[in-house]
């Protein structure tokens, strides 16, 4: 056992005594949340990205630096009030080193690469395009029946994006002989949201380049007119297993059998700093953590910063799948905060029939501040998934991803200019008030739902984890705009 030195012991006793004499209330914790402090956290995260290749993504130096930034406060400065540990896990890291699409006249075409894009042969491929039908309702080339009569052998399939997961289109293209896919976006312009094809699909897909709508439409017209349109596709990518981490930090005080938990993901995508997605949630948690240590309350509070969310909710699914049945029962509520400072925000609270009082607590405060709240059902787009599947009462707050709410979603421009600080502040204060209420009382919190067979057994949880991994395939293509599972772009 590690003993505290005299100074450390004195600080711990002084801190504990101060908190004991200062009972937590929603008003007190709300007062601890200040816009300038939230801005400071985001400045630091943006600086970390700037110093580490422009991102804070899983497997990149910027994520490790982000981890150390949180730990400096949680583990070092706040050690008298919090027990903090790092939970390691492995996942498949992927990075596109180079992608290039060459047009029929030899011109370079604007192109983006999804995460987990398989490489072409060295030097790339050059082949004729084969056109495919557009189905805006069901999604183009998402279903086996849509490929009837199409022989893509040795060709690059020209497919419109939308409706279903990109990986679904690429699997079918491979089955039907294509050597690659040229996927044209469903929205105009070059602000193309980057999807994730998911590590579980490695070996099942053909390489793809995602190009603008106008370019793809023009090529489609030329192919339809009978022209042999020959284009090139080069993808150079690496894929390997890398270690990453969750941070779990909980108050020393409070009943360990009554845990209120808050979570946000710490990683960004590879293209940018991830200041809204999800620096905003990270900042909210860190400032709530900073404030709550001054007060006393009867229930234990646990904060989680998740790793590899952008790769398919990997960190939170790892955490929830490794909880014992006893540990699961101790978690009485989970709040998820992912993208809560979008520059053109909606105020959306996701819940289900077992969410109890949590959504109401968030909504009451937001409405009192003049915000129009949208209530929605859970989808599969963020780190609440594992908790919902375990039957733990859960609520989630979200301000919108992609156009029109966050045009810089999954882009390099998700930086300090991509935040509505009023939305971030009011959402952080709502989160603080909701936590303060549940840290004091579980009134209105339902029991954990345990109706699914074997859910309480470790084998059942492991089986659910495999199912959640399948759900994460959908989740990894983008955040929900309404938490119903419908993505802003797929």
């Amino acid at each position: 056992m590690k003993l505290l030195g005299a100074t450390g012991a004195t600080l711990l006793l002084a801190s504990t005594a101060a908190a004991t004499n200062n009972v937590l209330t929603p008003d007190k914790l709300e007062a601890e949340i200040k816009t300038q402090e939230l801005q400071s956290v985001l400045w630091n995260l943006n600086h970390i990205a700037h110093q580490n290749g422009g991102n804070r993504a899983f497997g990149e130096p910027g994520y490790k630096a982000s981890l150390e930034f949180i730990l400096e406060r949680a583990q070092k400065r706040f050690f008298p009030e919090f027990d903090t540990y790092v939970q390691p896990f492995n996942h498949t890291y992927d990075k596109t080193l180079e992608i290039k699409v060459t047009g029929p006249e030899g011109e370079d075409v604007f192109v983006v690469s999804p995460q987990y894009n398989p490489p072409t042969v060295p030097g790339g491929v050059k082949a004729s395009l084969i056109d495919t039908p557009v189905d805006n309702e069901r999604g183009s080339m998402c279903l086996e029946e849509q490929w009837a009569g199409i022989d893509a052998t040795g060709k690059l399939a020209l497919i419109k994006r939308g409706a279903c997961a990109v990986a679904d289109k690429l699997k079918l293209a491979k089955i039907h002989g294509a050597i690659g896919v040229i996927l044209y976006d469903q929205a105009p312009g070059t602000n193309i949201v980057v999807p994730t094809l998911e590590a579980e699909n490695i070996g099942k897909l053909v390489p793809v380049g995602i190009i603008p709508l106008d370019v793809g439409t023009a090529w489609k017209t030329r192919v339809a007119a009978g022209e042999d349109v020959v284009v090139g596709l080069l993808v150079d990518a690496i894929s390997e297993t890398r270690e990453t981490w969750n941070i779990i930090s909980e108050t020393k005080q409070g009943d360990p059998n009554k845990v209120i938990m808050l979570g946000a993901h710490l990683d960004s995508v590879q293209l940018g700093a991830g200041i809204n997605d999800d620096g905003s949630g990270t900042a909210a948690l860190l400032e709530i953590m900073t404030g709550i240590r001054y007060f006393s309350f009867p229930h234990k509070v646990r904060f989680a910063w998740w790793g590899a969310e952008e790769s398919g909710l990997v960190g939170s699914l790892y955490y929830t799948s490794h909880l014992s049945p006893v540990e699961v029962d101790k978690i009485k509520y989970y709040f998820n905060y992912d993208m809560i400072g979008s520059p053109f925000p909606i105020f959306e609270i996701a819940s289900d029939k077992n969410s109890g009082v949590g959504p109401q607590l968030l909504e009451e405060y937001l409405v009192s501040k003049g915000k129009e709240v949208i209530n929605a059902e859970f989808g599969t787009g963020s780190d609440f998934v594992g908790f919902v599947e375990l039957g733990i009462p859960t609520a989630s707050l979200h301000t919108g991803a992609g156009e029109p709410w966050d045009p810089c979603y999954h882009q390099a421009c998700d930086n300090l200019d991509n935040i509505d600080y009023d939305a971030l502040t009011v959402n952080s204060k709502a989160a603080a008030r909701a936590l303060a209420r549940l840290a004091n009382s579980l009134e209105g919190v339902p029991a954990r739902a345990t109706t699914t067979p074997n859910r309480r057994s470790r084998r059942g949880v492991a089986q659910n984890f495999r199912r959640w991994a399948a759900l994460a395939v959908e989740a990894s293509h983008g955040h929900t705009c309404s938490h119903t599972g419908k993505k802003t772009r797929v």
Side-chain angles (χ1 to χ4, degrees):
M1 176 180 293
K2 182 178 180 180
L3 299 177
L4 289 173
T7 302
T10 301
L11 288 172
L12 178 57
L13 289 171
S15 173
T16 303
T20 301
N21 295 325
N22 195 0
V23 177
L24 178 68
T25 68
D27 287 344
K28 288 178 181 177
L29 192 53
E30 178 191 348
E32 294 293 325
I33 307 303
K34 299 177 175 62
T35 301
Q36 59 267 33
E37 298 302 328
L38 294 165
Q39 290 174 324
S40 177
V41 174
L42 295 184
W43 184 91
N44 278 282
L45 294 176
N46 194 71
H47 181 69
I48 286 169
H50 181 72
Q51 294 294 313
N52 289 277
N55 68 59
R56 303 180 301 101
F58 151 62
E60 297 282 346
Y63 183 75
K64 185 67 180 297
S66 299
L67 187 92
E68 292 169 350
F69 170 69
I70 300 295
L71 289 176
E72 190 280 327
R73 194 180 298 195
Q75 200 170 56
K76 294 182 180 179
R77 278 194 270 166
F78 298 168
F79 80 90
E81 299 90 12
F82 289 90
D83 291 320
T84 302
Y85 72 93
V86 172
Q87 182 183 41
F89 59 94
N90 294 325
H91 191 59
T92 303
Y93 167 85
D94 172 271
K95 186 172 187 177
T96 298
L97 302 176
E98 182 183 6
I99 185 167
K100 184 175 183 179
V101 169
T102 305
E105 280 70 53
E107 73 279 18
D108 288 338
V109 176
F110 179 87
V111 59
V112 300
S113 179
Q115 193 174 6
Y116 299 106
N117 194 5
T120 58
V121 296
V125 295
K126 189 173 184 180
S128 299
L129 290 177
I130 182 168
D131 191 22
T132 61
V134 171
D135 186 337
N136 290 324
E137 288 190 11
R138 299 182 300 170
S140 302
M141 314 313 288
C142 297
L143 305 171
E144 174 62 38
E145 64 192 61
Q146 295 170 324
W147 288 83
I150 295 176
D151 181 7
T153 302
K155 296 182 179 180
L156 291 167
L158 183 63
I159 302 174
K160 187 176 182 181
R161 187 178 182 181
C164 72
V166 172
D168 292 345
K169 302 172 189 276
L170 303 185
K171 287 178 185 176
L172 288 168
K174 184 171 185 176
I175 291 171
H176 288 271
I179 58 172
V181 166
I182 302 298
L183 188 73
Y184 57 101
D185 206 32
Q186 75 270 51
T190 57
N191 190 23
I192 298 173
V193 173
V194 178
T196 303
L197 303 181
E198 188 67 24
E200 283 73 14
N201 285 319
I202 291 174
K204 302 176 183 178
L205 312 176
V206 291
V208 60
I210 307 175
I211 65 172
L213 174 64
D214 61 335
V215 177
T217 302
W219 289 355
K220 181 179 180 66
T221 299
R222 292 170 65 174
V223 174
E227 182 179 348
D228 181 20
V229 178
V230 178
V231 302
L233 172 64
L234 167 67
V235 179
D236 183 13
I238 61 170
S239 180
E240 62 189 26
T241 298
R242 291 190 181 181
E243 185 179 47
T244 192
W245 310 269
N246 295 322
I247 299 174
I248 310 296
S249 186
E250 65 181 22
T251 55
K252 294 180 185 293
Q253 66 171 308
D255 186 345
N257 295 310
K258 295 177 180 177
V259 177
I260 309 302
M261 194 165 179
L262 294 78
H265 72 87
L266 185 56
D267 62 314
S268 73
V269 294
Q270 292 179 2
L271 277 182
I275 298 305
N276 185 36
D277 184 14
D278 185 29
S280 58
T282 287
L285 262 63
L286 198 56
E287 289 309 304
I288 293 170
M289 180 190 210
T290 301
I292 203 170
R293 63 198 178 102
Y294 299 118
F295 307 105
S296 65
F297 40 88
H299 304 151
K300 191 171 288 292
V301 176
R302 184 178 299 160
F303 296 88
W305 285 271
W306 307 119
E309 187 269 358
E310 297 291 2
S311 296
L313 319 180
V314 182
S316 60
L317 291 175
Y318 183 87
Y319 175 83
T320 49
S321 71
H322 285 77
L323 290 171
S324 71
V326 172
E327 290 167 334
V328 172
D329 281 334
K330 291 178 180 180
I331 302 173
K332 301 305 178 185
Y333 211 92
Y334 176 72
F335 289 101
N336 194 71
Y337 298 108
D338 188 0
M339 301 184 68
I340 60 171
S342 300
F344 306 100
I346 54 173
F347 295 85
E348 181 182 277
I349 299 170
S351 62
D352 62 15
K353 62 182 179 181
N354 199 50
S355 291
V357 73
Q360 176 186 338
L361 296 173
L362 295 170
E363 181 172 1
E364 285 177 351
Y365 181 77
L366 293 173
V367 170
S368 76
K369 297 302 178 182
K371 308 303 181 185
E372 181 180 350
V373 172
I374 299 170
N375 291 290
E377 296 180 356
F378 290 122
T380 57
S382 192
D383 291 303
F384 51 72
V385 169
F387 294 89
V388 172
E389 289 295 323
L390 282 172
I392 295 169
T394 298
S396 181
L397 185 57
H398 180 66
T399 52
E403 297 279 4
W405 313 287
D406 182 358
C408 288
Y409 169 60
H410 283 189
Q411 302 292 325
C413 56
D414 187 5
N415 53 32
L416 292 174
D417 296 325
N418 194 48
I419 290 286
D420 183 311
Y421 283 102
D422 173 69
L424 175 58
T425 303
V426 75
N427 284 330
S428 299
K429 287 177 177 287
R433 293 185 67 90
L435 172 61
R437 161 68 163 75
L438 295 192
N440 280 303
S441 170
L442 294 178
E443 181 181 355
V445 174
R448 183 168 75 90
T450 57
T451 55
T452 299
N454 296 326
R455 180 168 281 169
R456 293 174 61 88
S457 71
R458 290 206 56 130
R459 179 177 297 178
V461 172
Q463 290 172 345
N464 275 331
F465 179 50
R466 288 191 290 272
R467 184 162 66 88
W468 303 337
L471 288 175
V473 174
E474 178 186 357
S476 63
H477 296 284
H479 289 263
T480 54
C481 59
S482 64
H483 282 74
T484 60
K486 182 178 175 59
K487 305 300 171 189
T488 54
R489 295 192 191 177
V490 292

